[in-house]
Amino acid sequence: MAMVVNGWDDAIDNNASKSVGAQVMLKPVDPLALYVNYIGGPENADDNHSVRQVLDLVGTLTVNPMFSLGVNADFGTESGTSLVTPGDDATWNGVAGYAKISTTSPFSLGLRAETFKDNGGTRLGIGEARVNEFTVTPAFKFGSNFVVRAEGRYDASDSAPFVDDKGIAKKNQATIGLNAIWVY
């Protein structure tokens, strides 16, 4: 897969440059799939020179029809934009592990744990920081086209990137989400 896009990480393109991306998928043996993804290009507002790049590596293993595992690692850079050491390149990286447990019933359970390190301070905008999270995602499938999924997530950081309802910075947060998906 290859792509050219107006921008990424923004809802509206913020400069005149394009970014490019690509994905290669390898399936060396039937239960194992490996993905290598890349995206890069200038992404700062009104700046067509500071190049942001991310290399994303994904591996999935279907142990059996009721249990699958995944791992994901990201490595990113952005030229000359570090908030920690002004003028240097910003860097960030993260790793995540996933498990999905399915049953013979319409119920499944997803588990995810990840850690993210913002060395250059640009991704979270608060200077150098590490954030860890754990997510539990129960899902129930109604028929073949409708899924209801809840998500409970807990994030913890070594700095304070989160804000409470009074606007006070804090080091952790818990969130709950619910979605309904119609597949056609």
Side-chain angles (χ1 to χ4, degrees):
M1 185 264 306
M3 65 180 167
V4 176
V5 295
N6 287 332
W8 55 284
D9 264 2
D10 289 309
I12 299 171
D13 192 16
N14 59 8
N15 63 32
S17 294
K18 304 293 183 209
S19 288
V20 297
Q23 179 183 69
V24 175
M25 186 266 221
L26 306 166
K27 199 161 190 178
V29 292
D30 189 33
L32 179 64
L34 304 171
Y35 302 84
V36 178
N37 302 290
Y38 169 82
I39 191 165
E43 291 302 329
N44 283 320
D46 302 319
D47 176 357
N48 296 306
H49 306 291
S50 297
V51 175
R52 181 182 303 158
Q53 303 179 78
V54 171
L55 177 64
D56 174 62
L57 308 171
V58 179
T60 62
L61 177 66
T62 302
V63 177
N64 60 49
M66 294 174 39
F67 186 62
S68 61
L69 297 169
V71 65
N72 178 206
D74 286 339
F75 307 92
T77 66
E78 189 166 41
S79 57
T81 61
S82 175
L83 298 177
V84 175
T85 310
D88 284 357
D89 293 351
T91 63
W92 61 91
N93 56 68
V95 65
Y98 310 84
K100 182 176 180 186
I101 304 161
S102 300
T103 64
T104 55
S105 73
F107 179 76
S108 66
L109 180 66
L111 304 170
R112 179 179 72 235
E114 61 188 303
T115 186
F116 175 77
K117 178 74 171 165
D118 187 1
N119 299 307
T122 58
R123 303 312 297 157
L124 298 173
I126 59 168
E128 188 172 349
R130 175 178 297 281
V131 179
N132 302 303
E133 72 86 14
F134 181 73
T135 303
V136 177
T137 308
F140 193 85
K141 191 171 185 180
F142 295 91
S144 60
N145 298 82
F146 190 64
V147 177
V148 174
R149 187 168 55 196
E151 181 172 282
R153 176 175 170 148
Y154 180 76
D155 295 271
S157 177
D158 60 0
S159 56
F162 310 111
V163 179
D164 69 13
D165 57 349
K166 295 179 179 86
I168 298 170
K170 60 182 188 169
K171 291 187 173 186
N172 56 53
Q173 74 175 4
T175 56
I176 297 173
L178 180 66
N179 60 46
I181 303 165
W182 178 265
V183 180
Y184 56 95

